[in-house]
Amino acid sequence: MTESVKRVTDDGSSATTRVACCQLAPVLGESAANRAATLAAIESAVEAGARIVMLPELPVSGYVFADPVEALALAEPVDGPTVTAWAEAAARHDIVVVGGLCEAAPDGTLRNSSVLLDRSGLRAVYRKAHLWDAEKLFFTPGDAAPPVVDTPHGRIGMMICYDLEFPEWVRKSALAGAELLCAPVNWPVEPVPEAERPAWGAHIRVQAGAMANRLPIAVADRAGRERGVDWIGGSVVVNADGWPLVMAEAGTDATQILIADIDLADSRDKQISERNDVHADRRPWLY
């Protein structure tokens, strides 16, 4: 597979932050090689000027585990080699790194997690609250709200894949003041209507969440095939109005890096007309 860089950038007239979504094709069980691929992608993103670099869900372990024993064998603690290497890259380049981890948690459980690191080190660990399908056979769901972290490059919210399909979860991040929501995902190919692109349904849910909250969302998906499962390679960055800024090329074998410039200040303005504000107009006592 050939790595390509796809970008949409501005003319420098506004205060934007450059975001990179690194779409990779990990091989299950090849942790060392997969880790090296994430580090190479981070370097490529930095060369392209990115200040926030995203990696997919479970990019080092792989995803389609045969059983809990295999999943546990591929898990790492947050002070293991993967997060340590990402932390070193974040410090070296003064960037934010967000990426998925098959976590051997301190309480002895196995978690589908995401970590956020900046130049100061590990800032947050989020454990996926909404587990998809066979994930329930391996992982313990998280029971904490998605974190929103003040970083040198913006106020960043975190969640993972299926979490995005729960409007209440996305809204929690927006209400907590997130300027950008970062979501590592693994989106499998599923049936879609004839002539529609494989990522159609997933992208619509992301766009709807962004539009409902005036909150940019960046999604780093995976690509390739693993144990008979094809992945859509649907990485995307949408702006605060819910419109895609940049999308991965169609195809399950599309390993690439998406680059987008986002004005994070846009997300602080929730007004959509002279008399409407998507947060101020809420009437939660009726819901």
Side-chain angles (χ1 to χ4, degrees):
M1 289 176 286
T2 301
E3 181 182 282
S4 61
V5 177
K6 186 175 183 180
R7 70 182 72 202
V8 55
T9 56
D10 69 3
D11 60 6
S13 60
S14 60
T16 59
T17 301
R18 184 158 293 182
V19 178
C21 292
C22 303
Q23 183 165 289
L24 306 174
V27 178
L28 192 142
E30 299 292 335
S31 295
N34 294 338
R35 187 180 305 113
T38 66
L39 295 172
I42 291 171
E43 294 298 322
S44 294
V46 169
E47 290 175 5
R51 311 315 300 159
I52 299 171
V53 180
M54 288 187 56
L55 302 164
E57 181 180 10
L58 306 183
V60 172
S61 61
Y63 182 90
V64 188
F65 306 117
D67 52 45
V69 173
E70 182 179 52
L72 185 60
L74 294 170
E76 298 181 34
V78 293
D79 59 355
T82 294
V83 177
T84 298
W86 292 349
E88 291 171 352
R92 183 168 60 250
H93 297 298
D94 187 17
I95 59 172
V96 171
V97 175
V98 178
L101 180 73
C102 183
E103 183 197 0
D107 61 3
T109 60
L110 191 66
R111 306 283 186 149
N112 185 340
S113 300
S114 177
V115 295
L116 185 151
L117 309 110
D118 64 16
R119 64 191 180 200
S120 65
L122 179 65
R123 296 292 310 282
V125 181
Y126 168 70
R127 279 97 186 201
K128 188 175 183 179
H130 305 93
L131 299 180
W132 171 256
D133 198 37
E135 291 175 16
K136 295 183 177 183
L137 303 177
F138 312 117
F139 297 113
T140 298
D143 55 6
V148 175
V149 184
D150 277 310
T151 79
H153 303 296
R155 189 165 167 81
I156 298 176
M158 305 164 63
M159 59 186 58
I160 303 171
C161 204
Y162 188 40
D163 287 326
L164 288 167
E165 300 190 30
F166 294 81
E168 308 94 324
W169 216 233
V170 178
R171 177 59 55 85
K172 283 181 78 72
S173 293
L175 292 175
E179 297 172 333
L180 172 68
L181 182 58
C182 290
V185 308
N186 280 183
W187 281 336
V189 172
E190 295 181 325
V192 297
E194 187 176 354
E196 289 293 350
R197 50 192 167 88
W200 178 77
H203 283 176
I204 284 179
R205 290 190 287 270
V206 172
Q207 291 179 251
M211 184 180 295
N213 293 283
R214 281 200 47 76
L215 175 64
I217 301 178
V219 172
D221 196 8
R222 67 163 291 173
R225 167 175 278 214
E226 186 177 283
R227 285 185 172 162
V229 178
D230 290 318
W231 309 95
I232 62 176
S235 299
V236 64
V237 181
V238 301
N239 66 13
D241 293 316
W243 298 114
L245 295 174
V246 61
M247 294 189 293
E249 298 172 5
T252 61
D253 208 31
T255 299
Q256 55 198 283
I257 297 175
L258 274 61
I259 300 291
D261 289 340
I262 303 176
D263 187 347
L264 299 183
D266 283 348
S267 65
R268 301 172 206 147
D269 179 7
K270 305 301 181 182
Q271 193 165 356
I272 55 173
S273 80
E274 184 179 351
R275 299 178 180 84
N276 293 104
D277 180 298
V278 295
H279 283 182
D281 288 345
R282 295 170 61 245
R283 304 181 71 194
W285 58 93
L286 294 179
Y287 310 152

